[in-house]
Amino acid sequence: MSAQFIASLIIMLVMLHVFLGSISYLILLERKVASWIQHRLGPNRTGLPYGAFIPGLPKTLWGLGQPIADAIKNFLKEDFIAPGADRILFILAPGLALIPALVGWIIVPFGGYLHLNGTNLLMGGAPLNIGIIFVLATGSLAVYGVVLGGFASNNKYSFLGGMRATAQMVSYEIPLGMTILTIILMYGTARADYLIEFQAGGVWNIIYQPVLAMMFYICGLAECNRAPFDLAECEQELVGGFHTEYSSMKFALFFMGEYFHMITSAAIFSLLFLGGWDIIPFVKLLPAMGEQTTLVWGIIAVLLKIGVFCGKITFLIFLAMVIRWSLPRFRFDQLMRLAWQSLIPISLMMLIMTGMVVFFGLNRWWLLPGNFLVVGIVYVLMPYLPKGPAVNRRVPLEGSRFCPPVAEA
Amino acid sequence: MLTLLAQESFSHYGAVAVLIMMAVIFAVANLILTHLLGPQKQGKIKGMTYESGMNPVGSARRRFNVRFYIVAMSFLVFDVEIVFLYPWATVFPSLSEHSDLPIVFLGRMLFFVLTTVIAFVYAWRKGVFRYD
């Protein structure tokens, strides 16, 4: 029982409950953002008093009671298992989707270091030395829940959704891993706390590597099955995708897993590229690791760091919601082409470029022109790449009334 | 050294173990609670697979397109490469500049990436990434 274990345990328990509570309110926020973008009111009927009259409190509090009502309703709905379904896998799948999502964020160092009695205590999750790789390991386990859910349902929509989700998550894991690898290569460590300490009070990685940050954000959206990459559950084609046959809390567990993945990917983005708990780049405001402070200022700084971290996470999730409600969905071939024919080659080039900068011992500012050099190379090479046949344009739908006259071969 | 490392790691992984336990308990409790609280009724029409209101045609467990299998195979090529590059990336920036280790390590990485690029180009030319 070291002091670090107790500190990790306290922060972990607090943040777990904060996140679990905030997930239901994130769903409300998502519906509010949707209504804001589509110019309507959104959920606004279920207030916190649930119809009871409390003097001085408005009856409908911007729909703030909606998440709790939804949770109770989910518990009370019938837990239906179709007779054709594989019972064991069907029950196992939502748990398998949720558990890895709940575990991955443990490495995020929310509060930075607190200097106490000559030792440095990490006021965050566990300071694992595999760090970011732990997130990748748990993140890839999330595929199992989705594919088993799709397979066990014995429903064609679910099956297609599960297959699509597998192909998508597997494809976007490669550029995601490569971008993380590039950041590890810059600093020579995979520990999340060290990665933040390197950036804090100095230059954030998004300034060194803007193109890489953009690629990481795209891959993060795709890994969470978020729009515009939500082909696994697109309503127009597949009803609900892999969770078509699910009801009650089992259905809600899939959604909680998805929102927890969003929180995790936003946290990883902010710790890799936005300096974690750092307030503004180039200015040192908060004490770094191992710095002597008074106890009161140290504790205030830890609370500030946690607040800044949560603020960044909230902003990134808000961004993902705005993207979801403003961009149309990709087609499946476009999705796979984006992963295999553009993101993977570009991330390979980024890796080699960063490796060169590290090898020659250059200043990190060389990474910025290096990023744009890679983009330039891509633009120069693009016209010489072999092109596939134009999709969906020259295929005459024979027999349909939209079919142009087909030449006899 | 090794025991020291194990001790340090153990206390760090303690919080992870507690979190995994809590996650499993949370998921299982939710699944059991919703099973107990909700109503239970079965019916012939109700148990039918949902297929947009039509009578379901055949089983859903049938053969699927081989493309998904090929994607999984080409994923393995890259994933193994990334896994092997993680230790390389943590060691590479801290190599001594006065030895010939950096150039050796860079050469190894470039050779390793080259083998993957060959596989990638082969797959591209074969049309693995072409979806129509």
Side-chain angles (χ1 to χ4, degrees):
Chain A
M1 284 293 243
S2 60
Q4 177 60 63
F5 175 62
I6 294 167
S8 296
L9 208 60
I10 292 170
I11 297 283
M12 186 268 283
L13 286 177
V14 170
M15 292 317 278
L16 179 66
H17 288 91
V18 167
F19 284 159
L20 278 178
S22 65
I23 277 178
S24 47
Y25 277 91
L26 278 180
I27 294 173
L28 180 71
L29 177 71
E30 170 121 47
R31 293 172 67 185
K32 283 285 184 190
V33 168
S35 66
W36 171 58
I37 287 175
Q38 296 167 350
H39 209 282
R40 52 189 174 85
L41 284 174
N44 66 346
R45 305 301 292 179
T46 323
L48 271 181
Y50 296 104
F53 179 71
I54 299 172
L57 205 66
K59 217 171 175 189
T60 59
L61 214 60
W62 312 291
L64 275 182
Q66 188 72 46
I68 302 165
D70 278 346
I72 295 170
K73 184 190 76 182
N74 267 327
F75 270 116
L76 295 179
K77 286 284 172 188
E78 179 174 358
D79 174 31
F80 185 71
I81 303 174
D86 188 325
R87 282 185 74 91
I88 297 171
L89 292 183
F90 191 80
I91 297 170
L92 207 61
L96 279 182
L98 180 71
I99 292 169
L102 281 182
V103 171
W105 57 274
I106 185 77
I107 59 108
V108 178
F110 292 101
Y113 276 95
L114 179 67
H115 199 75
L116 204 69
N117 296 338
T119 52
N120 286 313
L121 274 186
L122 182 72
M123 302 308 280
L128 305 183
N129 39 16
I130 53 170
I132 302 289
I133 302 170
F134 184 77
V135 179
L136 280 177
T138 51
S140 23
L141 287 180
V143 177
Y144 289 107
V146 172
V147 71
L148 285 182
F151 178 76
S153 301
N154 195 21
N155 182 328
K156 278 155 204 145
Y157 294 126
S158 304
F159 186 69
L160 287 175
M163 292 315 293
R164 278 184 180 188
T166 322
Q168 173 187 337
M169 288 166 104
V170 149
S171 304
Y172 279 85
E173 209 174 297
I174 301 165
L176 191 83
M178 293 248 210
T179 45
I180 290 177
L181 184 66
T182 313
I183 297 296
I184 293 176
L185 181 57
M186 275 171 73
Y187 296 107
T189 179
R191 280 185 68 152
D193 39 345
Y194 290 177
L195 284 174
I196 291 182
E197 298 290 341
F198 278 125
Q199 300 173 56
V203 192
W204 295 355
N205 275 335
I206 195 166
I207 303 171
Y208 285 137
Q209 307 240 38
V211 181
L212 199 73
M214 217 159 68
M215 282 162 55
F216 183 87
Y217 194 76
I218 293 171
C219 296
L221 281 181
E223 277 291 295
C224 308
N225 279 331
R226 285 292 294 185
F229 303 102
D230 59 345
L231 277 115
E233 47 202 72
C234 49
E235 304 86 16
Q236 290 87 352
E237 308 165 24
L238 294 182
V239 187
F242 55 89
H243 51 62
T244 305
E245 289 280 314
Y246 279 90
S247 62
S248 75
M249 207 61 200
K250 287 204 192 99
F251 171 75
L253 287 190
F254 276 119
F255 263 79
M256 285 165 83
E258 185 188 321
Y259 275 85
F260 236 100
H261 273 299
M262 272 173 72
I263 292 176
T264 310
S265 87
I268 301 303
F269 184 85
S270 57
L271 88 83
L272 284 180
F273 292 101
L274 296 182
W277 41 256
D278 202 19
I279 297 179
I280 27 176
F282 302 113
V283 186
K284 190 172 177 304
L285 292 173
L286 297 171
M289 177 184 178
E291 203 170 296
Q292 283 288 354
T293 51
T294 58
L295 186 62
V296 177
W297 166 232
I299 290 173
I300 292 174
V302 163
L303 293 178
L304 259 178
K305 285 171 178 176
I306 293 177
V308 170
F309 217 119
C310 290
K312 280 177 185 171
I313 292 174
T314 315
F315 171 74
L316 286 170
I317 290 176
F318 178 74
L319 198 66
M321 286 172 182
V322 172
I323 288 174
R324 170 167 181 184
W325 294 105
S326 22
L327 288 183
R329 190 178 286 127
F330 277 103
R331 224 168 43 210
F332 192 66
D333 63 307
Q334 293 170 329
L335 177 94
M336 297 310 271
R337 209 164 57 214
L338 179 68
W340 287 97
Q341 301 193 354
S342 53
L343 283 178
I344 289 175
I346 295 174
S347 61
L348 260 178
M349 283 199 261
M350 288 284 185
L351 179 69
I352 292 172
M353 186 270 296
T354 313
M356 287 302 168
V357 170
V358 172
F359 174 68
F360 290 111
L362 297 174
N363 193 313
R364 293 216 178 94
W365 280 109
W366 283 97
L367 291 168
L368 188 59
N371 265 265
F372 291 106
L373 179 74
V374 168
V375 175
I377 290 174
V378 169
Y379 263 92
V380 169
L381 282 183
M382 232 166 20
Y384 301 103
L385 288 178
K387 283 200 181 64
V391 184
N392 274 2
R393 296 233 177 82
R394 296 188 198 151
V395 184
L397 298 162
E398 277 187 75
S400 104
R401 63 198 168 96
F402 301 112
C403 174
V406 187
E408 291 296 323
Chain B
M1 176 65 196
L2 209 63
T3 50
L4 197 76
L5 204 70
Q7 275 169 2
E8 190 206 27
S9 298
F10 180 73
S11 69
H12 289 169
Y13 280 92
V16 181
V18 173
L19 182 60
I20 291 176
M21 232 154 59
M22 288 184 66
V24 171
I25 291 171
F26 180 75
V28 171
N30 266 329
L31 288 176
I32 290 175
L33 264 184
T34 187
H35 193 74
L36 293 181
L37 288 176
Q40 298 285 330
K41 271 185 192 127
Q42 297 283 347
K44 192 159 172 286
I45 305 294
K46 191 178 177 180
M48 233 155 68
T49 313
Y50 177 72
E51 234 161 73
S52 305
M54 317 288 275
N55 287 338
V57 181
S59 163
R61 310 240 169 78
R62 43 188 300 182
R63 294 200 283 177
F64 55 89
N65 202 318
V66 75
R67 285 191 297 219
F68 294 108
Y69 183 67
I70 294 175
V71 164
M73 282 208 302
S74 26
F75 162 73
L76 274 187
V77 174
F78 280 93
D79 205 44
V80 170
E81 185 213 352
I82 293 173
V83 165
F84 278 122
L85 281 181
Y86 278 124
W88 173 82
T90 46
V91 170
F92 187 61
S94 54
L95 290 175
S96 160
E97 285 185 22
H98 303 293
S99 62
D100 55 352
L101 275 181
I103 186 81
V104 171
F105 268 61
L106 187 73
R108 281 174 188 166
M109 186 274 265
L110 286 179
F111 177 75
F112 204 58
V113 168
L114 183 74
T115 54
T116 318
V117 166
I118 290 172
F120 184 67
V121 170
Y122 175 76
W124 192 325
R125 298 282 301 186
K126 271 285 187 186
V128 169
F129 310 133
R130 206 163 55 219
Y131 281 76
D132 37 14

